[in-house]
Amino acid sequence: MDRISELPHEILGSILSLLPLKEAVATSVLSRHLRYAWAWSTLTLDFDPEETLIGFKYHSRTLQNKKSHRYVNWVNRVVEQHSGPNIKLFRACFDLDRRFTSSVDKWIEFALKKRVQVLVLDFVKEYGVNKDSYMFPRKLLGLEEGFASRHCVGLKSLKVLSFNFVDVTGEILEHFLSVCPFLERLSVSFVEKLVNLRVVGPSIALKYLKLDECDDLKRVEISDTNLVSFIHTGTAIDLLLSTVPSLVEVAITSQRNDIARLCAPTAFMRLAFTQLSGCLYQLETLMINTQVAEYNKDYTFPILPNLKHLELTVEGDYKLSLSQLSSFMKASPYLQRLALKLRFWENPFNEGRKIKKAVKWPHHYIKVVEVLGYCDRTNALEHVTFLMEHVVALEKLVIVPYWSWDCHHSGSESGKRERKKEAKERRHANMHLKNRVPSTVEFVCL
């Protein structure tokens, strides 16, 4: 007997809603009663690709195109068959471009019509190339003359919005902020068209804003809002912050050192702290990249009295990196957690470069230290030793090897080499650090 089909609709819907999307759709073959049950009960439409896109780039262009079309057809079928009144999440994640504009436009229309709460469009590109990215249509928001938005009701439900390799302008993002009363999280990555962005006004609900590698971004203004977290990764921008009483988390970092082109290395630290001057006293979490910032012993670091978590990216071979690290620790007297990200230039010239000792200065509040990017270099060992000697209240030390933290393994020969290097770095950490850590400190090597 088919006892599953005898279950009440509410229970059946609850069961199907707990399944991954493909498994929920697959239940349609179990019985005639279940054929369309998923279509009215599934609230989470997460179109997670079958394969990781890390391996996708190794396929031939013909196979890539075939897989992209197969993915789009799958999403189209689900969108056409879904009959429920609402959905909580719509996430599309694949290597897609403007060739699929008509389909993606329909996905967005569908999601807004269903009063989606979380909308994620993640069209990651091979090697990070931003060519022919899908352009978010202004007409869907009623921003083109002659078009009236039919989806205002859907916009009222939106809480999370994430664009990756989706070209959007500041006008579009600002419109979302103005018409979405519950939009609390906005994430935009690898966008070409974004130049200026204003997040201004107490009526804006936004709490978390992330702008990642938007190369043409020049200016961001945040004023009179209750923003809690601001994260910016990429080239230096003109950042204006004012009247942001709830802002407690800030990240100013560069993945590719492009910041060096826009400001002198010696001025970077001062520039960063000047932009944050209005909220330094209230920050609890700060993430900053100092790779291109030369240390100036005469520069007085501003005090960060409420900082509890510091994430610092440093150039491991820079001769004054320990003095720089020491100054950050002094400026954060009540810091409790420190994450040190070590970067090393792939240059044989730097291999034997020594770093200078820093003046001894104990910190009495840091309890957890994470060192990410550890490798079998003398300077990496010097950084960890420095922290063990200066963090007197240390309770936990976490070591993450470089080839585990900063690299993506694949099934290729390159991936196998990376895993061997990772194992070598882990052995180095256990051999040179584990026995030197006091028994009162928990040592973890991931």
Side-chain angles (χ1 to χ4, degrees), residues 82 128 246 310:
H82 191 277
S246 300
L310 174 63

PDB file of all heavy atoms in Angstrom, residues 82 128 246 310:
ATOM      1  N   HIS A  82       6.416  24.942 -10.882  1.00  0.00           N
ATOM      2  CA  HIS A  82       6.148  25.311  -9.486  1.00  0.00           C
ATOM      3  C   HIS A  82       4.795  26.004  -9.386  1.00  0.00           C
ATOM      4  O   HIS A  82       4.500  26.955 -10.108  1.00  0.00           O
ATOM      5  CB  HIS A  82       7.252  26.223  -8.960  1.00  0.00           C
ATOM      6  CG  HIS A  82       7.193  26.424  -7.476  1.00  0.00           C
ATOM      7  ND1 HIS A  82       6.364  27.353  -6.878  1.00  0.00           N
ATOM      8  CD2 HIS A  82       7.851  25.796  -6.463  1.00  0.00           C
ATOM      9  CE1 HIS A  82       6.528  27.302  -5.562  1.00  0.00           C
ATOM     10  NE2 HIS A  82       7.425  26.366  -5.288  1.00  0.00           N
ATOM     11  N   GLY A 128      37.568  34.068 -13.212  1.00  0.00           N
ATOM     12  CA  GLY A 128      37.159  35.392 -12.777  1.00  0.00           C
ATOM     13  C   GLY A 128      36.985  36.398 -13.895  1.00  0.00           C
ATOM     14  O   GLY A 128      37.016  37.603 -13.676  1.00  0.00           O
ATOM     15  N   SER A 246      25.299  52.097  14.589  1.00  0.00           N
ATOM     16  CA  SER A 246      25.234  50.642  14.793  1.00  0.00           C
ATOM     17  C   SER A 246      26.385  49.904  14.128  1.00  0.00           C
ATOM     18  O   SER A 246      26.499  48.684  14.275  1.00  0.00           O
ATOM     19  CB  SER A 246      23.900  50.104  14.256  1.00  0.00           C
ATOM     20  OG  SER A 246      22.798  50.703  14.913  1.00  0.00           O
ATOM     21  N   LEU A 310      40.208  41.132  15.548  1.00  0.00           N
ATOM     22  CA  LEU A 310      41.026  41.759  14.514  1.00  0.00           C
ATOM     23  C   LEU A 310      41.490  40.701  13.529  1.00  0.00           C
ATOM     24  O   LEU A 310      42.044  39.671  13.918  1.00  0.00           O
ATOM     25  CB  LEU A 310      42.253  42.440  15.149  1.00  0.00           C
ATOM     26  CG  LEU A 310      43.282  43.017  14.170  1.00  0.00           C
ATOM     27  CD1 LEU A 310      42.662  44.140  13.338  1.00  0.00           C
ATOM     28  CD2 LEU A 310      44.507  43.527  14.927  1.00  0.00           C
TER      29      LEU A 310
END
